[in-house]
Amino acid sequence: MDNIFALAINNLGSPIILCFALGLAAAFARSDLTIPEAVAKGMSIYLLFAIGFKGGAAVAAHGLDTTLILALIAGGILSFAIPFIAFALLRFMTKLSILDAAAVAAHYGSISIVTFVAATSVLNSQGIASEGYMVAVAAVMEAPAILAALWLVSRATAGSGEDDRMDAELWREILLNGSIVLLVGSFLIGWITGEDGLTQISSFIISPFQGVLCLFLLDMGLVAGRGLRQARGVMTAPVFAFGVIMPLVGATLGLCTGLLLGLSTGGVVLFTTLAASASYIAVPAAMRVALPEANPSIYLTLSLGVTFPFNLTLGIPIYVAVASALSGG
């Protein structure tokens, strides 16, 4: 327990967390501080490209093996399975409708790439190595949760004429979502070019990475703070509690999976973090197409305003401490 508190305190003092806190405080104080949308989009593109490229280069150096393939399969299965648990928990704990519960569940089966990056930064600061190919697992875990949520809705609305949601537009949104295309595409480029390619552009994707991440998290803090301020009417105590309980449920599943796969301590932490995180980029875009009746103030505020800061401040230190104790790291 002391180790968890020490990690949490250390994490709270890091630049990326303090930048997020600044954005959150500015939003609550109703400051006019803003990050232009074009700048925020540019930072998002940069981070996804850098993450994917470095992951691809790491796979090129590591090579394909059974553990990598099993990790990809396990990530896909976990992403599809978690929404069923989240949906059942929401229906038990809250009074959310089937559509809102399914939309929220999809976010928790998918992943937050920024939470993944924050966990990677914590591992680096602690000197804990991890498998570079975990970014490929992150890419695999983006879409299955959306399919699981739509299956939940179609089962609940079967025979009502509202269950035909898997049209061409939705498939396009799922498979060609910008964040997925960029992450997978840059991963493939990094894999093809390997260490030589990474060396050629290292001054672009390695040195400035932490600074760009700080500004991006400042913007995330502003968005999360405004969402929390505007969603007071729908964020009941049970709904808010779900945003803290569900990441711990997902983390437990990710932790067990990482240990069964025989990943390193860092790999277990990253698998745990992926399973504990909630999407706020790819899935909201898909939900706007697939479940337009669902309330975005619920699923966006939960994923970005509750679960995201919980993982940044307390979740990741807990995952590091538990994974280190169980894996012998």
Side-chain angles (χ1 to χ4, degrees):
M1 186 62 71
D2 290 341
N3 190 33
I4 293 175
F5 285 130
L7 281 170
I9 292 171
N10 184 59
N11 198 32
L12 287 171
S14 67
I16 59 174
I17 303 299
L18 292 175
C19 284
F20 180 83
L22 173 61
L24 205 63
F28 283 136
R30 300 180 185 271
S31 167
D32 62 356
L33 174 64
T34 58
I35 302 293
E37 185 176 347
V39 175
K41 184 68 175 178
M43 291 190 294
S44 177
I45 290 172
Y46 169 83
L47 291 173
L48 287 169
F49 178 81
I51 294 161
F53 195 100
K54 288 187 286 187
V59 169
H62 179 274
L64 283 174
D65 60 14
T66 304
T67 304
L68 168 56
I69 295 171
L70 289 176
L72 293 174
I73 295 172
I77 294 173
L78 205 56
S79 175
F80 188 81
I82 286 177
F84 291 91
I85 300 172
F87 182 81
L89 196 57
L90 280 165
R91 296 293 286 171
F92 174 76
M93 291 179 59
T94 73
K95 296 181 180 180
L96 293 183
S97 67
I98 289 173
L99 285 176
D100 284 332
V104 171
H107 289 69
Y108 284 82
S110 189
I111 60 100
S112 161
I113 198 66
V114 179
T115 308
F116 175 84
V117 174
T120 304
S121 298
V122 172
L123 291 177
N124 290 338
S125 69
Q126 297 291 316
I128 302 174
S130 62
E131 289 81 355
Y133 58 70
M134 287 304 298
V135 69
V137 178
V140 167
M141 292 179 72
E142 285 271 20
I146 301 171
L147 303 179
L150 296 182
W151 188 88
L152 282 166
V153 172
S154 66
R155 186 185 65 172
T157 59
S160 66
E162 300 180 2
D163 55 335
D164 186 20
R165 298 175 184 271
M166 296 301 294
D167 56 13
E169 184 182 1
L170 178 59
W171 277 112
R172 176 181 176 81
E173 184 62 49
I174 293 174
L175 299 177
L176 296 180
N177 180 275
S179 62
I180 297 176
V181 170
L182 183 56
L183 188 63
V184 174
S186 60
F187 176 86
L188 291 174
I189 294 172
W191 191 1
I192 293 168
T193 59
E195 290 294 327
D196 289 340
L198 182 61
T199 301
Q200 291 176 32
I201 61 171
S202 62
S203 60
F204 173 69
I205 66 171
I206 294 180
S207 299
F209 186 86
Q210 291 293 328
V212 175
L213 180 59
C214 284
L215 288 178
F216 185 79
L217 281 171
L218 171 65
D219 184 54
M220 289 295 95
L222 290 168
V223 174
R226 290 166 188 151
L228 283 170
R229 208 177 63 215
Q230 295 167 4
R232 290 174 182 172
V234 295
M235 289 300 294
T236 62
V239 173
F240 190 93
F242 170 85
V244 175
I245 294 171
M246 191 58 215
L248 296 176
V249 174
T252 302
L253 296 173
L255 175 70
C256 294
T257 303
L259 292 172
L260 287 173
L261 289 170
L263 300 178
S264 67
T265 298
V268 173
V269 171
L270 293 181
F271 217 121
T272 303
T273 302
L274 287 173
S277 64
S279 173
Y280 52 81
I281 298 176
V283 176
M287 290 300 104
R288 283 198 298 269
V289 176
L291 301 177
E293 308 94 332
N295 189 347
S297 64
I298 297 175
Y299 58 70
L300 269 178
T301 304
L302 264 176
S303 61
L304 184 55
V306 181
T307 298
F308 182 61
F310 168 77
N311 276 326
L312 282 186
T313 56
L314 292 176
I316 292 173
I318 292 172
Y319 311 150
V320 173
V322 175
S324 297
L326 295 181
S327 66

